[in-house]
Amino acid sequence: MKNTIGQNVSLTIFGESHGDSIGAVIDGLAPGIAVDEEFIKNQLSLRRPVGSISTPRVEADNFRIISGVFEGRTTGTPICIVIPNENTKSKDYSEIRSKARPGHADFTAYEKYHGFEDYRGGGHFSGRITAGIVAAGAIAISALNKKGIYIGTHISRCANISDASFTDYKTDILSLNKKQFAVIDDTVAEKMQNEIVKAKSEGDSVGGVLETAIIGMPQGVGEPWFDSIESLLSHALFGIPAIKGVEFGGGFALADMLGSGANDSFYVDGDTVKTKTNNNGGINGGITNGMPVIFRCAVKPTPTISKTQQTVDFIKTENTELIAGGRHDPCIVHRARVVVDSITALVLCDILSGRFGTDWLAD
Amino acid sequence: MKNTIGQNVSLTIFGESHGDSIGAVIDGLAPGIAVDEEFIKNQLSLRRPVGSISTPRVEADNFRIISGVFEGRTTGTPICIVIPNENTKSKDYSEIRSKARPGHADFTAYEKYHGFEDYRGGGHFSGRITAGIVAAGAIAISALNKKGIYIGTHISRCANISDASFTDYKTDILSLNKKQFAVIDDTVAEKMQNEIVKAKSEGDSVGGVLETAIIGMPQGVGEPWFDSIESLLSHALFGIPAIKGVEFGGGFALADMLGSGANDSFYVDGDTVKTKTNNNGGINGGITNGMPVIFRCAVKPTPTISKTQQTVDFIKTENTELIAGGRHDPCIVHRARVVVDSITALVLCDILSGRFGTDWLAD
Amino acid sequence: MKNTIGQNVSLTIFGESHGDSIGAVIDGLAPGIAVDEEFIKNQLSLRRPVGSISTPRVEADNFRIISGVFEGRTTGTPICIVIPNENTKSKDYSEIRSKARPGHADFTAYEKYHGFEDYRGGGHFSGRITAGIVAAGAIAISALNKKGIYIGTHISRCANISDASFTDYKTDILSLNKKQFAVIDDTVAEKMQNEIVKAKSEGDSVGGVLETAIIGMPQGVGEPWFDSIESLLSHALFGIPAIKGVEFGGGFALADMLGSGANDSFYVDGDTVKTKTNNNGGINGGITNGMPVIFRCAVKPTPTISKTQQTVDFIKTENTELIAGGRHDPCIVHRARVVVDSITALVLCDILSGRFGTDWLAD
Amino acid sequence: MKNTIGQNVSLTIFGESHGDSIGAVIDGLAPGIAVDEEFIKNQLSLRRPVGSISTPRVEADNFRIISGVFEGRTTGTPICIVIPNENTKSKDYSEIRSKARPGHADFTAYEKYHGFEDYRGGGHFSGRITAGIVAAGAIAISALNKKGIYIGTHISRCANISDASFTDYKTDILSLNKKQFAVIDDTVAEKMQNEIVKAKSEGDSVGGVLETAIIGMPQGVGEPWFDSIESLLSHALFGIPAIKGVEFGGGFALADMLGSGANDSFYVDGDTVKTKTNNNGGINGGITNGMPVIFRCAVKPTPTISKTQQTVDFIKTENTELIAGGRHDPCIVHRARVVVDSITALVLCDILSGRFGTDWLAD
């Protein structure tokens, strides 16, 4: 379905970096969910570039909800959120129309759309489009929180520096969700940011790893095979352009373990079944087992850099050089965090509404 | 869609480990594709356990194509393939019905299906079900090969031992596809197998990493956002129960690189645009750029082991111990290889049929 | 999705008239639903040709459930039902391979599948395929009945003779579901059958109208716009090859009414809201209002007749004549009845499972 | 997918009658299709109420295309069209919030959405939402016309008065598409309108039948069973709230015919296969045969009338009376015409893009 994801609760996104507006339509959310515009604003602010570690293009993100919300609550019908593009400088990009920026989709978009694509600022491929996901995700997050389900993501690694791990999930999640630069161990924030600034000063960029925890998921949710929790989450997460890897629980580290070490022993805690370790990331056979759902996303370094790069003119089919214009970020890991939270929330709403019915998320 | 994946070409799987049969339905494949039953048999043989490194349960996999093939070619209507279960020993499992095998889906299946699940041998969660994927995938692979698209997977890592990397893709792929134990550097095969046997002798199991290359994909195929090549492939791959991580191109290693190192410079080779490196794994913005599509899957160690494990009786909700019965594999990495190839082929047929129309894959 | 319908509960059908087997896969049905093989047999018997008013090809319909049912109940995983073709006479058809039977899909199948279609006996387009729908539908009907939802269809019109209307829905439905030739007023059965026999004796065929009532549907189920009850039911019903019209409630007769006559006045009956008339067929704005859901399907006369017909040889692209061979039915209205009930039941299971969650249909 | 329809080309609609805006998102249309805003305006004008036969609420329909169109052509990415609601009088409706208007969805919406629905003017159930379909459909119509595919709909019957039938399809279609009140025989227009005015003067409303012809469809398009042309079109058409019946070709009249009369004899015309009659409406076995695709939709009389009606207060669950307020139409048949054309065009774009690939519709 291209720009639509989800079956029972679906998200459709639209827009181009330098077009009139970007936005999203969410369909299938239960009626009666309180929609807190301040919370949406706040979530959008977590995605916005800030200070010396980000692009100077700052969008106000003056979103408008133009359908599906009535008297402050979801109606159950499609919610369309529109976010105008305001701070666009199109001429930055028009001169380099046919130069393929390495790591970007300029060339593949040209091949796919035969030159009809809106190439300005990456067009529909721009990270700008994720603002629509964040606005939509804010409503999903609110709904999940009411049901005791919380999502938190931290910058597990950035510019070769590692953050601490989750210790107390709920405390950590609540704390992370208030931070602009989401690390568990605040002492690493400055180190990471120094590296980002350093990369920027060298005309370069850095990547990182985001680690997400979901707590409060009911047991027995998900499907074997193609609608496994892993399948549905990874499908959505790999929709975010910079993400090139997704792993659950122990992930790639499991490949080097023995079964006796990787298996999570079950035990009884009161009347609840739990596991001692969580190498399976809260998922067995595609289905939640009640432990925190844990996954990590590899975020590649921002492809837009200021160094001169070898590339091609794909209209003339000849070699050329590129000195990046446009405004860009030396790092998007910290900004991608809330996008991961948002798309995760929308996927969970879809899964839970399918499992328990469309009213389950209602207040 | 639970046990169905794909939009233009879809795969539906069914069956339980100890039920009557397992199987698959493929719908939407172009008419006129030659169906080579010998090739299907051969693909199934690559999935079958062999020798000392596998389970003693060996199924003949006497598949029958009961619809959708006429006079040796696909008709364009649904192809149903049925594979009877023959070598089943149900009583191995019935005694431990309510003991959750760590790392398995026994407990989550019970939570989800309220005790109505066919629990014998893992039921619908069994790796046995992948035989249907392999049989279906064989037809997809044949169709792709005719169009010059080849898929090959090697055991990039197993039991902490690494294989060599791809050097000449086409040669390596053709060679790998003939091997029962698919490594590029044959000298590592014995080392890996020795480790597998060692783990088995200790009642334990090992995991690994599978690396896949796809060559011959046309440029400009895929979608931005939710139908990215990464999204569709990972959705399918994470449907395979043991896979807990998927990464494309540089994957998680990209997180530690600088943008100047991670970006793949474009250059012109004749009238074709190529990239010097392939850190993006042949995909920019979700769309193929013509370079080999590269991904890796983390395969966790087989959860069934012979060591005594702490677990719960989930019907009595009490702690207990488990000494595994049943027949099992000390390693499934080498067997999972052809499953990865197969599901990949089906996803590619879906994507290409959507992009170029339902007749594109026809001979 | 071609041969798959339904989102939360899905049905996939496969097979050809003269192939090995036909069948169906149902996915997403709640676990724990009792599966009564006698009831399935009985439903299949209602579809089978009988006596002088039907084709002499009689299939035993020895179905086998090869997955998804364990100890007599649904497991919640895909149920595959296979029905072998036993009484096939392929040579009847091979001689007329390239002659387009008027009213049939021979020509359009050839255009679509480029000659690779299994043309024997209509191949995948044969009414034979509906046996799979009936077997699958039987399980859905059982599940709905447990929830107090009943479906009944009568031959409202056949060969220009009309049946009586529903009077007491539940009584009528229970009575109809036992009849091989489903009319409310038994005195019209003989008249209709006489006309069928007469048409047969003249080498001709007749059509009719099936009227269906669904009682017990909860209020507030369905969606505005594209997942309206009418949309989902008509989508499925028009999948049955002979159906060329579907109308709900007053249907086409509403076109000639005034609003004051067509509107169904609401009133309170105890604590339930009802309507005095039911011109909207139990559906307002795509959503159930609690009144019986009523629809009618126009069934065209069987296209296979014994009269000489003008047609073309579509391989030679020249005019020719056709004298029908093969075995056929002078009327399929009475046989189509149980197919309508079955596909309706599957659509309702899909809708209700989406609305109330996957466990709602569980016993 | 609730408010989304289509698989390869999809349409998502949103909005409420008295909300901020209504609109639509089209995804999957080929890149490079010329977007003529004047044509969109004109199509919207055909949907707008006019003169004495319509509601006095007239919306300017000042649509804005906020994404997916660049330099006058489709980019291939999602096209979002927003149409502000301008002429809303919300207080007309608030007084009667809990009175179920007969024939409307007030009661069913309340049951479904538990009172959180935007009830003003029918909210999301309002015919107002169809303006989004018309705007989106205009782009689809333009694309189809470039490929030689034309759609035309006439008021086959209204207020018990019948229009003439199609004679020369192309001429009739081109002529109809320019008319505000689309009849083939202009002499019946006045008669129909007189009846509409008469009904209005009596506080009543009338219904009718719309007949649609599609010419230029390639042969061999469509699928057997659940993606039949009839299935996909009826699914979309029954999404339009007032439509309660859909029939193809001879439709319900076929039920009373003999097979020898209903069958369409094939013949060769040059190198093209055609049929002498078109009782199957251009579709055999769900697949186009190259003849015009013909269908008719029954449009019920507008449920909003000025007469006093018996109804219930569904919050108090008690009987009450309703004297309609709000602005309304004594007939919507003539306005629904362009909605039928539009949704038909979108469905055809979806089917054709799936069959021939995403670039087929490109200029």
Side-chain angles (χ1 to χ4, degrees):
Chain A
M1 292 288 292
K2 302 183 172 72
N3 293 277
T4 298
I5 195 165
Q7 195 166 271
N8 293 287
V9 172
S10 63
L11 170 73
T12 300
I13 56 174
F14 58 84
E16 286 83 29
S17 177
H18 288 57
D20 178 290
S21 303
I22 61 129
V25 182
I26 326 159
D27 195 11
L29 266 187
I33 297 170
V35 175
D36 178 348
E37 299 216 353
E38 284 307 310
F39 181 65
I40 300 173
K41 269 184 213 169
N42 191 60
Q43 291 292 101
L44 283 166
S45 77
L46 295 178
R47 198 199 71 93
R48 268 207 291 279
V50 277
S52 57
I53 60 167
S54 296
T55 173
R57 175 179 174 185
V58 181
E59 284 280 359
D61 292 337
N62 290 314
F63 69 90
R64 273 193 312 142
I65 300 176
I66 64 175
S67 71
V69 175
F70 181 56
E71 296 178 346
R73 289 182 181 270
T74 57
T75 56
T77 54
I79 301 165
C80 182
I81 307 174
V82 173
I83 311 177
N85 287 321
E86 293 170 358
N87 188 353
T88 56
K89 295 189 185 174
S90 294
K91 72 183 160 190
D92 284 357
Y93 296 93
S94 54
E95 293 162 26
I96 56 164
R97 190 268 178 273
S98 61
K99 288 190 183 180
R101 291 172 299 158
H104 276 288
D106 307 319
F107 168 63
T108 54
Y110 183 79
E111 288 297 303
K112 178 173 174 57
Y113 300 117
H114 312 302
F116 293 107
E117 69 277 9
D118 180 349
Y119 52 81
R120 299 169 300 165
H124 186 58
F125 294 78
S126 168
R128 170 85 186 123
I129 313 306
T130 59
I133 297 174
V134 171
I139 301 174
I141 288 169
S142 296
L144 292 169
N145 288 353
K146 284 265 181 169
K147 303 295 291 186
I149 299 168
Y150 293 88
I151 304 165
T153 298
H154 72 115
I155 305 167
S156 176
R157 191 164 172 85
C158 181
N160 290 283
I161 296 163
S162 292
D163 187 21
S165 300
F166 284 101
T167 46
D168 180 303
Y169 282 105
K170 181 134 187 207
T171 307
D172 288 344
I173 287 170
L174 294 180
S175 168
L176 285 167
N177 287 342
K178 290 181 194 140
K179 296 180 183 177
Q180 193 76 29
F181 193 89
V183 286
I184 292 173
D185 174 0
D186 286 327
T187 67
V188 303
E190 198 183 339
K191 292 177 197 165
M192 288 178 180
Q193 293 177 14
N194 287 344
E195 289 300 310
I196 296 171
V197 171
K198 186 175 158 227
K200 186 186 178 187
S201 71
E202 292 166 357
D204 220 322
S205 65
V206 301
V209 174
L210 291 168
E211 182 177 55
T212 302
I214 307 165
I215 58 168
M217 279 290 282
Q219 295 176 321
V221 173
E223 299 285 336
W225 307 100
F226 306 126
D227 277 2
S228 73
I229 297 287
E230 293 106 323
S231 285
L232 296 186
L233 281 174
S234 69
H235 188 138
L237 292 163
F238 275 120
I240 304 172
I243 291 180
K244 298 297 275 191
V246 174
E247 60 178 11
F248 292 83
F252 279 89
L254 288 169
D256 282 352
M257 293 172 76
L258 291 170
S260 56
N263 281 350
D264 301 309
S265 291
F266 291 97
Y267 71 99
V268 171
D269 181 9
D271 54 1
T272 306
V273 170
K274 295 186 176 173
T275 63
K276 289 174 190 168
T277 49
N278 191 12
N279 289 314
N280 284 283
I283 307 165
N284 291 131
I287 300 172
T288 55
N289 64 16
M291 297 298 290
V293 173
I294 306 292
F295 59 86
R296 277 172 299 282
C297 297
V299 182
K300 71 176 185 180
T302 327
T304 310
I305 58 175
S306 305
K307 294 191 167 177
T308 296
Q309 296 181 87
Q310 303 303 309
T311 189
V312 298
D313 181 309
F314 49 78
I315 294 182
K316 297 184 187 161
T317 317
E318 63 183 30
N319 291 325
T320 184
E321 280 195 346
L322 179 90
I323 300 167
R327 297 162 293 181
H328 64 272
D329 288 290
C331 178
I332 57 158
V333 182
H334 55 293
R335 298 181 63 192
R337 180 264 305 229
V338 69
V339 182
V340 166
D341 285 348
S342 300
I343 197 73
T344 298
L346 287 156
V347 170
L348 296 183
C349 286
D350 181 33
I351 292 171
L352 291 160
S353 297
R355 179 74 174 88
F356 299 119
T358 50
D359 285 353
W360 192 77
L361 284 171
D363 270 1
Chain B
M1 291 289 294
K2 301 183 173 75
N3 293 277
T4 297
I5 195 165
Q7 195 167 270
N8 293 286
V9 172
S10 62
L11 171 73
T12 299
I13 55 174
F14 57 83
E16 285 84 29
S17 177
H18 288 56
D20 178 289
S21 303
I22 61 130
V25 182
I26 325 159
D27 195 10
L29 266 187
I33 297 170
V35 175
D36 178 348
E37 299 216 355
E38 283 307 309
F39 181 65
I40 301 174
K41 268 184 212 169
N42 191 58
Q43 290 293 101
L44 284 165
S45 76
L46 295 178
R47 199 200 71 92
R48 267 206 292 278
V50 278
S52 57
I53 61 168
S54 297
T55 173
R57 175 180 173 185
V58 180
E59 283 281 359
D61 291 338
N62 290 313
F63 68 91
R64 272 193 313 143
I65 301 176
I66 64 175
S67 71
V69 175
F70 180 55
E71 297 178 345
R73 289 182 181 270
T74 57
T75 56
T77 53
I79 301 164
C80 182
I81 307 174
V82 173
I83 311 177
N85 287 319
E86 293 170 357
N87 189 353
T88 55
K89 296 191 185 173
S90 293
K91 71 185 160 187
D92 283 357
Y93 296 93
S94 54
E95 292 162 27
I96 55 164
R97 190 266 178 273
S98 60
K99 288 190 183 181
R101 290 172 299 159
H104 277 287
D106 307 319
F107 168 63
T108 54
Y110 183 79
E111 287 298 302
K112 178 172 174 59
Y113 300 117
H114 311 302
F116 293 108
E117 70 277 8
D118 180 350
Y119 53 80
R120 300 168 300 164
H124 186 59
F125 294 78
S126 169
R128 170 87 187 121
I129 313 305
T130 59
I133 297 175
V134 171
I139 301 174
I141 287 169
S142 297
L144 292 170
N145 288 353
K146 283 264 182 170
K147 304 294 291 186
I149 300 168
Y150 293 88
I151 304 164
T153 298
H154 72 116
I155 304 167
S156 176
R157 192 165 170 85
C158 182
N160 290 282
I161 295 164
S162 291
D163 187 21
S165 299
F166 284 101
T167 47
D168 180 304
Y169 283 105
K170 182 136 187 205
T171 306
D172 288 344
I173 288 171
L174 294 180
S175 168
L176 285 167
N177 287 343
K178 290 180 193 140
K179 295 181 183 176
Q180 192 78 26
F181 193 89
V183 286
I184 292 173
D185 174 1
D186 286 326
T187 66
V188 304
E190 197 182 339
K191 292 178 198 165
M192 289 178 180
Q193 292 177 13
N194 286 344
E195 288 301 310
I196 297 170
V197 171
K198 185 176 157 226
K200 185 185 178 186
S201 71
E202 292 165 357
D204 219 323
S205 64
V206 300
V209 174
L210 292 168
E211 182 177 55
T212 302
I214 307 165
I215 58 168
M217 278 290 282
Q219 295 176 321
V221 172
E223 299 285 335
W225 306 101
F226 306 127
D227 277 1
S228 73
I229 298 286
E230 293 105 324
S231 286
L232 297 186
L233 281 174
S234 70
H235 188 136
L237 293 164
F238 275 120
I240 305 171
I243 291 180
K244 297 298 274 191
V246 174
E247 61 179 10
F248 292 84
F252 278 88
L254 288 169
D256 282 353
M257 293 172 77
L258 292 170
S260 56
N263 281 350
D264 301 309
S265 292
F266 291 98
Y267 71 100
V268 171
D269 181 9
D271 55 359
T272 307
V273 170
K274 295 187 176 171
T275 64
K276 289 174 191 168
T277 50
N278 191 13
N279 289 315
N280 284 283
I283 307 165
N284 290 131
I287 299 173
T288 54
N289 64 15
M291 297 298 291
V293 173
I294 306 292
F295 59 86
R296 278 172 299 283
C297 297
V299 182
K300 72 176 186 179
T302 326
T304 311
I305 57 175
S306 304
K307 293 190 168 178
T308 296
Q309 296 181 88
Q310 301 304 308
T311 190
V312 299
D313 181 309
F314 49 78
I315 293 182
K316 297 184 186 162
T317 317
E318 63 183 29
N319 291 325
T320 183
E321 279 194 348
L322 179 89
I323 299 166
R327 297 161 294 180
H328 63 273
D329 287 291
C331 178
I332 56 157
V333 182
H334 55 293
R335 297 182 62 192
R337 179 265 305 232
V338 69
V339 183
V340 166
D341 285 347
S342 299
I343 197 72
T344 298
L346 287 156
V347 170
L348 295 184
C349 286
D350 181 33
I351 292 171
L352 291 161
S353 297
R355 179 74 175 88
F356 299 120
T358 49
D359 286 353
W360 192 77
L361 284 172
D363 272 2
Chain C
M1 292 288 293
K2 301 183 173 73
N3 293 276
T4 297
I5 196 165
Q7 196 166 268
N8 293 287
V9 172
S10 63
L11 170 73
T12 299
I13 55 174
F14 57 83
E16 286 82 30
S17 178
H18 288 56
D20 178 288
S21 302
I22 61 131
V25 182
I26 326 160
D27 194 11
L29 266 187
I33 297 170
V35 175
D36 178 348
E37 300 217 354
E38 284 306 309
F39 180 65
I40 300 174
K41 267 184 213 170
N42 190 59
Q43 290 293 100
L44 283 166
S45 76
L46 295 179
R47 200 200 71 93
R48 266 208 292 278
V50 278
S52 57
I53 60 169
S54 297
T55 174
R57 175 179 174 184
V58 181
E59 284 281 0
D61 291 337
N62 289 315
F63 69 91
R64 272 193 313 143
I65 301 176
I66 64 175
S67 71
V69 174
F70 181 55
E71 297 178 345
R73 291 181 181 270
T74 57
T75 56
T77 54
I79 302 164
C80 182
I81 307 174
V82 173
I83 312 177
N85 288 318
E86 293 170 357
N87 188 352
T88 55
K89 296 190 186 174
S90 294
K91 71 183 160 187
D92 283 357
Y93 295 94
S94 55
E95 293 162 26
I96 55 164
R97 191 264 177 273
S98 61
K99 287 190 184 181
R101 290 173 298 157
H104 276 288
D106 307 320
F107 169 64
T108 54
Y110 183 79
E111 287 298 302
K112 179 173 174 58
Y113 299 116
H114 312 301
F116 293 108
E117 70 277 8
D118 180 350
Y119 53 79
R120 298 169 299 166
H124 186 58
F125 294 79
S126 168
R128 171 85 187 124
I129 313 306
T130 59
I133 298 175
V134 171
I139 301 173
I141 287 169
S142 297
L144 292 169
N145 288 353
K146 284 264 183 170
K147 304 295 290 187
I149 299 169
Y150 294 89
I151 304 165
T153 298
H154 72 115
I155 305 166
S156 175
R157 192 163 171 87
C158 183
N160 290 285
I161 295 164
S162 292
D163 186 22
S165 300
F166 284 101
T167 46
D168 180 305
Y169 283 104
K170 182 138 187 203
T171 307
D172 289 343
I173 288 170
L174 294 180
S175 168
L176 285 167
N177 286 343
K178 290 181 194 140
K179 295 182 184 177
Q180 192 77 26
F181 193 89
V183 285
I184 292 173
D185 175 1
D186 286 327
T187 67
V188 303
E190 198 184 339
K191 291 179 199 165
M192 289 179 180
Q193 292 178 13
N194 286 343
E195 289 300 309
I196 296 170
V197 171
K198 185 172 159 229
K200 185 185 178 188
S201 71
E202 292 165 358
D204 221 322
S205 65
V206 300
V209 174
L210 291 168
E211 182 176 55
T212 302
I214 308 165
I215 59 169
M217 278 290 282
Q219 295 176 322
V221 173
E223 298 285 336
W225 307 101
F226 306 127
D227 277 1
S228 72
I229 297 287
E230 293 105 324
S231 286
L232 296 185
L233 281 173
S234 70
H235 188 137
L237 292 164
F238 275 120
I240 305 172
I243 291 181
K244 297 298 276 192
V246 174
E247 60 178 12
F248 292 83
F252 278 89
L254 289 169
D256 283 352
M257 293 173 77
L258 291 170
S260 57
N263 281 351
D264 301 311
S265 292
F266 291 98
Y267 72 99
V268 171
D269 181 9
D271 54 1
T272 307
V273 171
K274 295 187 176 172
T275 63
K276 288 176 192 168
T277 50
N278 191 13
N279 289 315
N280 284 283
I283 308 165
N284 291 130
I287 300 172
T288 54
N289 64 17
M291 298 297 291
V293 173
I294 305 292
F295 59 86
R296 278 172 299 281
C297 297
V299 181
K300 71 175 185 179
T302 326
T304 310
I305 57 175
S306 304
K307 292 191 168 178
T308 296
Q309 296 181 88
Q310 302 303 308
T311 190
V312 298
D313 181 309
F314 50 77
I315 295 182
K316 298 184 187 161
T317 318
E318 63 183 30
N319 291 325
T320 184
E321 280 194 346
L322 179 90
I323 299 165
R327 295 161 296 181
H328 64 272
D329 287 292
C331 179
I332 56 158
V333 181
H334 55 292
R335 298 181 63 192
R337 180 265 305 232
V338 69
V339 182
V340 166
D341 285 347
S342 298
I343 197 73
T344 298
L346 287 156
V347 170
L348 295 183
C349 286
D350 181 34
I351 293 171
L352 291 160
S353 297
R355 179 75 174 89
F356 298 119
T358 49
D359 285 352
W360 193 76
L361 284 171
D363 271 3
Chain D
M1 292 288 294
K2 300 182 173 73
N3 294 275
T4 297
I5 194 164
Q7 195 166 269
N8 293 286
V9 172
S10 63
L11 170 73
T12 299
I13 55 174
F14 57 83
E16 286 83 30
S17 177
H18 288 57
D20 178 289
S21 303
I22 61 131
V25 182
I26 326 160
D27 195 10
L29 264 187
I33 297 170
V35 175
D36 179 348
E37 300 216 354
E38 283 307 308
F39 181 66
I40 301 174
K41 270 184 211 169
N42 191 59
Q43 290 293 100
L44 283 166
S45 77
L46 295 178
R47 199 201 70 93
R48 267 207 292 279
V50 278
S52 57
I53 60 168
S54 297
T55 172
R57 174 179 174 186
V58 180
E59 284 280 1
D61 291 338
N62 290 314
F63 68 91
R64 272 193 315 142
I65 300 176
I66 64 175
S67 71
V69 175
F70 180 54
E71 298 178 345
R73 290 181 182 271
T74 57
T75 57
T77 53
I79 301 164
C80 181
I81 306 174
V82 173
I83 311 177
N85 288 319
E86 293 171 357
N87 189 353
T88 55
K89 296 190 185 174
S90 293
K91 70 183 160 189
D92 284 357
Y93 296 95
S94 54
E95 293 162 25
I96 54 165
R97 190 267 177 274
S98 61
K99 287 190 184 181
R101 290 172 299 158
H104 277 287
D106 307 320
F107 168 64
T108 54
Y110 183 79
E111 288 297 304
K112 177 172 175 59
Y113 300 117
H114 311 302
F116 293 108
E117 69 277 8
D118 180 349
Y119 52 80
R120 300 168 300 164
H124 186 58
F125 293 78
S126 168
R128 171 85 188 123
I129 313 307
T130 60
I133 298 175
V134 171
I139 301 174
I141 288 170
S142 297
L144 292 170
N145 288 353
K146 283 263 183 170
K147 303 297 288 186
I149 299 168
Y150 293 88
I151 305 164
T153 298
H154 72 115
I155 305 166
S156 176
R157 191 166 172 84
C158 182
N160 290 285
I161 295 165
S162 292
D163 187 21
S165 300
F166 285 101
T167 46
D168 180 303
Y169 282 105
K170 182 138 186 202
T171 307
D172 288 344
I173 288 170
L174 294 180
S175 168
L176 285 167
N177 287 344
K178 291 181 193 139
K179 295 182 185 177
Q180 192 76 28
F181 194 89
V183 286
I184 292 173
D185 175 1
D186 286 326
T187 66
V188 304
E190 199 184 337
K191 291 179 200 165
M192 288 177 180
Q193 292 178 13
N194 287 344
E195 289 301 309
I196 297 170
V197 171
K198 186 174 157 228
K200 186 185 178 187
S201 71
E202 291 167 358
D204 219 321
S205 65
V206 300
V209 175
L210 291 169
E211 182 177 54
T212 301
I214 307 165
I215 58 168
M217 279 290 282
Q219 295 175 322
V221 172
E223 298 285 336
W225 307 101
F226 306 127
D227 277 1
S228 73
I229 298 286
E230 294 105 323
S231 286
L232 296 186
L233 281 174
S234 70
H235 188 137
L237 292 164
F238 275 120
I240 305 172
I243 290 180
K244 297 298 276 192
V246 174
E247 61 178 11
F248 292 84
F252 278 89
L254 289 169
D256 282 353
M257 293 172 76
L258 292 170
S260 56
N263 281 351
D264 300 310
S265 292
F266 291 98
Y267 72 100
V268 171
D269 181 10
D271 54 359
T272 307
V273 170
K274 295 186 177 172
T275 63
K276 289 175 192 169
T277 49
N278 191 14
N279 288 315
N280 284 284
I283 307 165
N284 291 130
I287 299 172
T288 54
N289 63 17
M291 298 297 291
V293 173
I294 305 293
F295 59 85
R296 278 172 299 283
C297 297
V299 182
K300 72 175 185 179
T302 327
T304 311
I305 57 175
S306 304
K307 293 191 168 176
T308 296
Q309 297 181 87
Q310 302 304 309
T311 190
V312 299
D313 181 309
F314 50 77
I315 294 181
K316 298 184 186 161
T317 317
E318 65 183 28
N319 291 325
T320 184
E321 279 194 347
L322 179 90
I323 299 166
R327 297 162 295 181
H328 64 272
D329 288 290
C331 178
I332 56 158
V333 182
H334 55 293
R335 298 181 63 191
R337 179 265 305 231
V338 69
V339 183
V340 166
D341 285 347
S342 300
I343 197 73
T344 298
L346 288 156
V347 171
L348 295 184
C349 286
D350 180 34
I351 293 170
L352 291 160
S353 297
R355 179 74 174 88
F356 299 119
T358 49
D359 285 353
W360 192 77
L361 284 172
D363 271 3

